[in-house]
Amino acid sequence: MSTIRLRGGQVYDPTNGIDGELRDIGIRDGRIVELHPQEKVDHDYDLAGCVVMAGGIDLHTHIGGGKVNLARMLLPEDHRARRERDNLLELASGGCCTPGTLQTGYRYAEMGYTAAFEPAMLAANARQAHMEMGDTPILDHGAYVMLGNEEVFLEMLARGEDFERIRDYVGWSINASKAMGVKVVNPGGISAFKFNQRKLDVDENHVHWQVTPRRVVHTLARALRELGVPHPLHIHASNLGVAGNIESTLATIDALEGLPGHLTHIQFHAYGTEGPKKFSSATRQLIEKLKAAPNVSIDVGQIIFGQTVTASGDTMRQLANADLGSPRKYVGGDIECDAGCGVVPFRYREQSYVNALQWAIGLEIFLRMDDPWRVVLTTDHPNGGPFTSYPHLIKLLMDKSFRDEQLARLHPDVAAMADLREIGRELSLYDIAIMTRAGPAKLLGLTDRGQLGVGAAADIAVYREQADREAMFATPEYVFKDGTLVARRGRLEAVPTGGTHFVEPDYDPAIEKTLERHYREHMSIDWRHARISKDELCSCSNHGSLLPCKLHGGGRT
Amino acid sequence: MNTTTLAPAPDPSSAAAPLAACAPWTCPFCSLLCDGFGLQDGDPPQLLGSDCPRATKALAAFARPAAPVTPSIDGAPATLEATLDAAAARLAGARQPLFGGLATDVAGMRQLYRLANACGAILDHAHGDALMHALRPLQDRGQMFTTLAEIRTRADLVVCFGTDASNYPEFFRRCAPTANSELQRRTVFVSTVPPAQAIEGSSVETVTGQGDLFDTAATLAALVEQRRVSRPAPELAELADALRAARYAVLVWEPAQLPAHGALIGETLLRLVMSLNRSTRAGMFALGGLDGAQTANAAMTWLSGLPLRSRVGPRGLEHQPLQYATGRLLAGDEVDLLLWVASFGPNLPPPPTGVPRIVLGHPTQAPHCAEKGTIFIPVATPGVNASGHLLRADGVVALPLHAIRDDGLPGVADVARALDARLALVAEDAR
């Protein structure tokens, strides 16, 4: 492999405390190295006038798996806009809010992102999720397995099984599905909906299993901590989208009792019931709580106006919102005593009071949170908006006057009343580098990604400094993936296959006896097929590298 | 009859030890992908633990041939290399090729999609008509589905609408309630005759429809929605009440059994199930996706963003669920080459057509592929002499297929990759 010098760029590398210094960066064999100033290199890039950051990492983006594919099938109209195929490196693939996997990889990479994580992998659908991610070129990827709604887990909780056995089950599940972490979606609620329960508050019992979301959340968070899984429990809290759901969100944070937790797409969980429309921003309460809860990180799930589609495991809430769909279509499914899926197309409108307020709430959360290391920039692609709107979102966060212009176009009550008007903060490039690469890498336990220190993987995005941050972040000058130039000014230069990040926590295999019985009695596949081997992961993920991630503290104690 | 869904425990002392002792064998011969049976070596291999007529019949095609089946060009035997060269030349010369059949696994589809990009092909499956009966309601209205384990655990009422599921012989066993289940299940067959044998864990009833399937679906949906229906058949009215009273009703349908415009029936059934879900719980289960149709459509969709019956054109993808039907394209001379893929067995021979054909087929298809204008490449079958992956009928579960023997045949993916490499050279020469 060749040696590369990136010369004289303005480097933003928060992991190493570098805030806009002019520096050279050396690359050899896909890694960042120290190069002597006189050392001869194969490629020398003059980066005067450029900003250099590690490749972007999206820790919550629905890029692969059954419900994403159903969303594609549901919306052929998202694929009508076609473009000339003028780059032989690209295979045909289209879509904006439901892009094909190829399109997903191409467009992320062109935007300077080099890794993306599917947050909602069903154990029953794990092979397909790995296949779709494997067919998402260039990006490294990984997924969080959805737990907390499977009959086997709820039954163990209900019968008062020892915590250690449940922890073993969680460890087994992560290994079996080759996951990078665990996500809980509407804790217990997806299962409760199968029993026709339509609402489940944090301290309310599941109608059949008689367990509360509070117990589900706490048990899973504790299991992950004890298993040494770096990424905290990824939590899609109860009552998504419901006015007044701030109460559930605060209660969910309390349920953690100080254990690490990551509250995802928190914008959808930060609503009060004040005002004439009984729908208000609860950002202040949320931020106050987060400031006192350093164990909690968040991603925002910013909404972006226009057409998109919401795809979620939260069947209970998705069916409740199905009538609001635009276009009016709905996909729902109850899946394998494991979880479910619900897909609702959505058009966020500037003149809708609710949508306008959702937009303002998302931005308020970004701007009011004092610790950027605990906030990750997401739109919950595609649920809040497609990932291709990230440059627009970055401009909203970095440019107060642009933000005000946008705010003025919204529903008049929101434009006149939103707290957002009062917030003068403009995020810096350093903040953006934290929220889009260094922070997510840290939250995922990726020690050699999201940073530009010697020894790190050479996943690098180089942006031409421009006052228009949207233009700047939309089309990086250069993007390197493991030291290979993959995009130059919005045009792909190489299409390598990405690798799969996963963790392998230790567990007591005695749990397999219980699981084998469960599979025999309730499931529809042979128990031995519940586990994906590493060889099989290779073929599913299109023979990309396997990237096992280090556990915290050496794993289970 | 063995009713367990577990593979028989391998017994090393038995002379009839299953070949796939190291892993459960996954049956590739219908989209239920049963992995609860064993397979015993033999010529042909024998099914253990099931009497599934579909699998038994399919396995019969895997007796080892007296002489190896070779590739052929216009009926004349040729080496694989020569055949690939000839096939690539024909592909390179085609103005509008059609990739049909598509009875293959995930790996096959991945490579065929690449190849389709290299030559601007239209892609359709052998069961494209049935696939569109299921896909078009999804595109227009959505879907409300359930899966085998959910039916097994929860369904107290199963309504088979216009299907006895006989094309999926293991279906009722796969979703039978567990032995100690307290479910009191009713299975009701609407506008069809139930299977002769009893259905495990369920009572069986028959409801005669009201008119044809379209009328019956519309009437039942109206009754479920409690709209006024003039003189409904009492049995249908009773069924509508039962659907509303059920805790978890499942509506089973089989798109391939529906007449022309069957998508409208699918849409009506969906409306019915959506109505039920306003107050109780219900789901649909489509018996479909045979011969890799589920897999081909899913893989095409995730790679490109659009499902089958799409064309990889110079300006990107075009999806035409009616226009890009294999039969229509061939009858209208709208394509000038057919690449036909049928790797699971002797059924699905290439359709007769005047346009040149390249067939990647099961060896038993050789006699159908000996005429002038046809190139034949025998390929391996995932789950018998190749490994691979298929998606199950419910579209959720993907399972690995394990090779039980090696017959030295290339897989569809291998052939497609080789053709793609040759086309790349042709394109380079042209530049």
Side-chain angles (χ1 to χ4, degrees):
Chain A
M1 234 192 184
S2 60
T3 311
I4 300 168
R5 178 181 289 114
L6 306 180
R7 192 157 35 82
Q10 196 173 15
V11 175
Y12 291 87
D13 181 15
T15 306
N16 297 299
I18 297 167
D19 183 6
E21 286 172 34
L22 294 183
R23 286 191 167 220
D24 290 357
I25 289 176
I27 302 171
R28 182 183 292 126
D29 296 338
R31 293 267 152 186
I32 294 176
V33 293
E34 191 85 59
L35 288 179
H36 189 276
Q38 306 306 323
E39 193 168 335
K40 279 190 93 176
V41 294
D42 302 299
H43 302 280
D44 191 310
Y45 294 86
D46 178 3
L47 301 190
C50 291
V51 163
V52 184
M53 295 184 183
I57 298 173
D58 196 340
L59 67 46
H60 187 109
T61 172
H62 297 276
I63 54 170
K67 66 178 170 301
V68 179
N69 221 28
L70 282 166
R72 295 179 185 116
M73 290 182 202
L74 184 68
L75 290 174
E77 54 268 50
D78 185 45
H79 299 260
R80 281 194 191 123
R82 293 182 283 138
R83 60 181 224 171
E84 200 87 20
R85 288 174 58 214
D86 60 349
N87 186 339
L88 289 176
L89 285 173
E90 288 190 33
L91 300 179
S93 187
C96 180
C97 60
T98 61
T101 55
L102 298 164
Q103 166 90 334
T104 303
Y106 301 154
R107 304 290 88 84
Y108 257 119
E110 278 175 4
M111 219 170 63
Y113 273 70
T114 50
F117 290 81
E118 162 60 49
M121 174 172 73
L122 273 65
N125 185 242
R127 286 185 175 86
Q128 186 183 344
H130 285 298
M131 286 169 187
E132 293 194 26
M133 291 189 291
D135 283 332
T136 305
I138 307 171
L139 304 181
D140 291 335
H141 42 80
Y144 321 135
V145 62
M146 267 169 68
L147 300 181
N149 279 289
E150 331 81 277
E151 305 276 315
V152 62
F153 171 83
L154 294 169
E155 198 246 324
M156 279 197 275
L157 268 191
R159 71 162 186 261
E161 180 65 271
D162 288 346
F163 168 75
E164 288 71 22
R165 296 290 76 72
I166 297 178
R167 183 189 62 199
D168 289 335
Y169 161 71
V170 173
W172 173 85
S173 283
I174 295 171
N175 274 280
S177 61
K178 294 289 174 283
M180 184 63 179
V182 171
K183 183 191 191 195
V184 61
V185 175
N186 186 353
I190 303 172
S191 165
F193 181 58
K194 293 173 185 174
F195 295 87
N196 205 24
Q197 193 169 357
R198 303 283 167 146
K199 182 177 84 58
L200 186 60
D201 287 327
V202 178
D203 289 306
E204 192 175 354
N205 268 333
H206 181 300
V207 68
H208 180 77
W209 295 110
Q210 301 293 311
V211 287
T212 61
R214 183 181 293 272
R215 271 185 77 195
V216 171
V217 166
H218 185 81
T219 306
L220 288 172
R222 184 176 161 206
L224 290 180
R225 216 258 305 261
E226 294 195 15
L227 290 166
V229 173
H231 186 49
L233 178 63
H234 202 91
I235 306 167
H236 158 145
S238 312
N239 291 316
L240 177 139
V242 177
N245 63 11
I246 185 65
E247 297 305 329
S248 308
T249 306
L250 301 182
T252 303
I253 293 174
D254 288 338
L256 289 167
E257 295 177 19
L259 291 163
H262 178 89
L263 269 72
T264 190
H265 42 69
I266 195 132
Q267 176 278 129
F268 290 107
H269 302 270
Y271 307 145
T273 51
E274 290 165 18
K277 297 198 163 61
K278 305 286 180 217
F279 184 80
S280 57
S281 167
T283 310
R284 283 171 189 275
Q285 277 165 281
L286 176 72
I287 297 295
E288 201 176 307
K289 187 78 173 179
L290 290 171
K291 282 182 179 169
N295 56 311
V296 176
S297 56
I298 59 170
D299 65 78
V300 171
Q302 176 67 35
I303 71 151
I304 301 292
F305 298 112
Q307 180 68 54
T308 194
V309 60
T310 65
S312 170
D314 193 344
T315 42
M316 181 189 271
R317 294 302 317 146
Q318 290 292 81
L319 186 72
N321 286 329
D323 290 342
L324 303 174
S326 173
R328 180 81 175 272
K329 316 183 193 185
Y330 179 72
V331 171
D334 299 315
I335 298 175
E336 289 296 277
C337 301
D338 179 7
C341 90
V343 184
V344 187
F346 232 86
R347 177 180 285 278
Y348 295 109
R349 293 179 302 114
E350 290 170 337
Q351 290 307 310
S352 149
Y353 175 81
V354 169
N355 297 164
L357 197 58
Q358 288 179 305
W359 179 88
I361 290 169
L363 295 177
E364 286 170 16
I365 294 169
F366 275 115
L367 296 165
R368 284 200 190 281
M369 229 352 226
D370 56 350
D371 178 3
W373 289 94
R374 293 197 284 134
V375 189
V376 179
L377 185 142
T378 65
T379 56
D380 184 16
H381 164 82
N383 296 344
F387 67 82
T388 43
S389 47
Y390 285 179
H392 175 77
L393 174 54
I394 290 172
K395 185 171 180 179
L396 287 169
L397 296 170
M398 294 189 73
D399 186 337
K400 163 79 173 154
S401 61
F402 178 66
R403 195 158 70 220
D404 286 344
E405 271 170 39
Q406 302 301 306
L407 184 60
R409 292 163 49 177
L410 305 192
H411 187 284
D413 292 353
V414 174
M417 302 295 291
D419 277 359
L420 186 63
R421 289 171 312 144
E422 316 299 331
I423 305 178
R425 187 176 174 203
E426 293 182 330
L427 297 188
S428 64
L429 286 170
Y430 193 74
D431 292 328
I432 295 296
I434 295 171
M435 291 179 176
T436 55
R437 31 279 268 173
K442 187 176 169 206
L443 288 168
L444 287 161
L446 301 174
T447 50
D448 66 345
R449 311 269 160 176
Q451 58 135 324
L452 299 170
V454 167
D459 293 351
I460 301 172
V462 177
Y463 304 95
R464 174 76 52 196
E465 173 70 76
Q466 294 179 63
D468 180 348
R469 300 305 190 188
E470 185 168 348
M472 171 175 163
F473 280 96
T475 314
E477 195 75 4
Y478 304 107
V479 182
F480 298 89
K481 176 79 191 64
D482 292 310
T484 299
L485 180 67
V486 291
R488 183 199 305 257
R489 281 177 225 126
R491 193 177 166 84
L492 293 181
E493 295 281 327
V495 186
T497 303
T500 306
H501 291 288
F502 59 101
V503 287
E504 300 176 286
D506 193 14
Y507 65 93
D508 181 347
I511 191 66
E512 294 181 354
K513 276 215 167 66
T514 308
L515 296 171
E516 185 176 355
R517 192 172 59 242
H518 171 75
Y519 268 77
R520 193 169 54 241
E521 290 176 359
H522 296 285
M523 303 301 272
S524 67
I525 60 167
D526 186 288
W527 146 254
R528 290 165 288 180
H529 276 150
R531 173 186 275 272
I532 303 172
S533 69
K534 281 191 193 168
D535 281 350
E536 200 190 345
L537 177 62
C538 262
S539 79
C540 287
S541 64
N542 224 348
H543 305 280
S545 321
L546 300 189
L547 306 167
C549 179
K550 264 201 201 120
L551 295 166
H552 277 173
R556 186 158 63 91
T557 50
Chain B
M1 191 181 293
N2 189 329
T3 54
T4 175
T5 53
L6 261 195
D11 176 4
S13 65
S14 160
L19 243 183
C22 54
W25 178 67
T26 310
C27 177
F29 300 119
C30 92
S31 51
L32 296 180
L33 303 183
C34 297
D35 63 351
F37 314 138
L39 203 61
Q40 185 184 319
D41 197 6
D43 200 16
Q46 301 289 315
L47 208 53
L48 293 178
S50 166
D51 55 1
C52 173
R54 191 178 183 101
T56 306
K57 185 170 173 225
L59 282 167
F62 289 87
R64 287 188 171 86
V69 176
T70 61
S72 62
I73 303 170
D74 302 332
T79 64
L80 180 59
E81 291 300 303
T83 317
L84 288 168
D85 288 342
R90 288 186 194 177
L91 270 175
R95 294 161 64 102
Q96 182 54 71
L98 166 65
F99 289 8
L102 302 186
T104 181
D105 64 349
V106 172
M109 270 312 289
R110 280 173 161 169
Q111 289 304 325
L112 285 167
Y113 187 64
R114 253 175 202 284
L115 186 63
N117 271 262
C119 53
I122 296 170
L123 297 102
D124 182 28
H125 192 274
H127 303 308
D129 289 343
L131 193 64
M132 293 305 128
H133 282 341
L135 183 68
R136 295 185 68 215
L138 169 57
Q139 292 176 328
D140 289 344
R141 290 276 180 263
Q143 199 179 66
M144 195 81 199
F145 68 94
T146 189
T147 68
L148 290 177
E150 294 289 349
I151 303 175
R152 199 180 168 201
T153 305
R154 243 174 278 290
D156 51 353
L157 175 60
V158 175
V159 176
C160 295
F161 192 90
T163 174
D164 62 0
S166 58
N167 289 321
Y168 302 79
E170 290 287 336
F171 175 68
F172 292 112
R173 269 188 272 180
R174 293 294 301 281
C175 51
T178 34
N180 53 1
S181 164
E182 288 167 6
L183 275 179
Q184 300 285 314
R185 180 180 296 173
R186 293 172 66 187
T187 302
V188 181
F189 291 84
V190 180
S191 300
T192 187
V193 178
Q197 65 273 43
I199 292 177
E200 201 182 312
S202 177
S203 66
V204 175
E205 295 159 46
T206 309
V207 167
T208 314
Q210 190 152 357
D212 61 16
L213 282 177
F214 293 94
D215 290 342
T216 304
T219 307
L220 186 60
L223 289 167
V224 162
E225 290 163 358
Q226 296 183 292
R227 286 189 280 129
R228 203 184 308 210
V229 176
S230 72
R231 278 174 294 164
E235 284 177 320
L236 268 191
E238 192 278 332
L239 179 59
D241 289 343
L243 281 163
R244 279 189 283 112
R247 288 167 63 184
Y248 197 94
V250 175
L251 222 150
V252 181
W253 63 306
E254 187 178 350
Q257 295 299 311
L258 300 179
H261 306 295
L264 294 172
I265 293 174
E267 197 171 311
T268 306
L269 297 178
L270 173 66
R271 197 184 81 211
L272 185 164
V273 169
M274 287 298 283
S275 302
L276 286 173
N277 277 295
R278 291 198 178 272
S279 53
T280 180
R281 290 309 326 278
M284 289 171 81
F285 190 94
L287 289 164
L290 289 174
D291 294 302
Q294 188 77 30
T295 303
N297 193 50
M300 171 76 186
T301 305
W302 80 58
L303 287 162
S304 75
L306 281 166
L308 288 175
R309 294 203 171 164
S310 293
R311 169 176 180 253
V312 188
R315 290 168 180 274
L317 289 139
E318 280 168 61
H319 173 57
Q320 298 287 352
L322 299 176
Q323 192 185 335
Y324 289 162
T326 298
R328 197 184 167 283
L329 292 170
L330 292 175
D333 289 330
E334 292 177 39
V335 292
D336 60 352
L337 184 139
L338 171 65
L339 182 137
W340 184 259
V341 180
S343 68
F344 291 110
N347 62 332
L348 304 185
T353 170
V355 304
R357 303 182 303 183
I358 299 168
V359 180
L360 317 187
H362 185 269
T364 53
Q365 294 190 351
H368 304 286
C369 303
E371 60 196 66
K372 191 161 169 45
T374 298
I375 290 177
F376 178 66
I377 303 178
V379 290
T381 301
V384 179
N385 44 23
S387 58
H389 281 98
L390 281 175
L391 266 69
R392 207 167 71 179
D394 50 38
V396 172
V397 176
L399 283 174
L401 305 171
H402 311 283
I404 58 159
R405 69 183 200 215
D406 181 2
D407 292 334
L409 292 169
V412 170
D414 301 321
V415 175
R417 194 180 297 113
L419 290 172
D420 193 37
R422 281 166 171 77
L423 284 186
L425 288 177
V426 173
E428 209 154 275
D429 288 349
R431 280 202 296 274

